[in-house]
Structure formats: C-alpha cells, structure tokens
Amino acid sequence: MTFHKTFNSFSRVVQVILLLVPFVNWITEILVRWSYFLEKKNAVSLVMALLATFFFGNILGWIDLICSILTKHLFLA
C-alpha cells in the first residue's frame, strides 16, 4: 500500500481538500504516515506516524496543509 505516493500524485486542489476537512485530515495523515513508514522503515517516519495517530494528528495536518501547498508533499514524508 503506497498511500503516500498516491497522495503525492493528487493535484494540489485535492491534497488541500483532503487536509482541510478535520476528520478526513486525520485519516489522511494516518494512512500516508504509516504507508511512508512501512516503505522507508526509519525512526523519523515512525515518530511522525505515531504523533499523527495518537497525539497531534490535527495539528500536524494543518502543518502538512501548508507544506502541501508549498511543496506538493507532506512534511517529512
């Protein structure tokens, strides 16, 4: 499952919409972060996946919204 590659292939408008809606934002964060971790298997991606899942999913989603607008991918993914 490569949700992070699929997310990065979406247009910026779709990325922004997915990250703008609060609950959809959190689900998108979880899917993309864990997908990235399962492919890369490094400590930074594990920490980001855990933070998105259990602690700061919505806050991280707003940071990712800005990063997605500027760079077309999520922060540290």
Side-chain angles (χ1 to χ4, degrees):
M1 292 193 282
T2 58
F3 289 109
H4 66 283
K5 289 181 182 177
T6 303
F7 180 82
N8 290 339
S9 70
F10 290 152
S11 69
R12 284 194 178 156
V13 173
V14 173
Q15 288 178 349
V16 168
I17 291 170
L18 287 173
L19 293 172
L20 199 58
V21 180
F23 184 72
V24 176
N25 172 333
W26 184 58
I27 299 299
T28 303
E29 284 288 327
I30 290 171
L31 291 174
V32 172
R33 295 291 177 181
W34 284 105
S35 169
Y36 188 77
F37 168 71
L38 291 174
E39 183 176 310
K40 302 298 180 185
K41 293 186 174 58
N42 61 21
V44 173
S45 61
L46 175 61
V47 170
M48 295 302 286
L50 290 171
L51 287 174
T53 303
F54 298 111
F55 301 108
F56 305 110
N58 287 332
I59 296 169
L60 190 57
W62 290 106
I63 294 169
D64 284 335
L65 174 66
I66 295 167
C67 190
S68 177
I69 291 170
L70 297 175
T71 64
K72 202 170 186 229
H73 62 82
L74 299 182
F75 179 68
L76 295 176

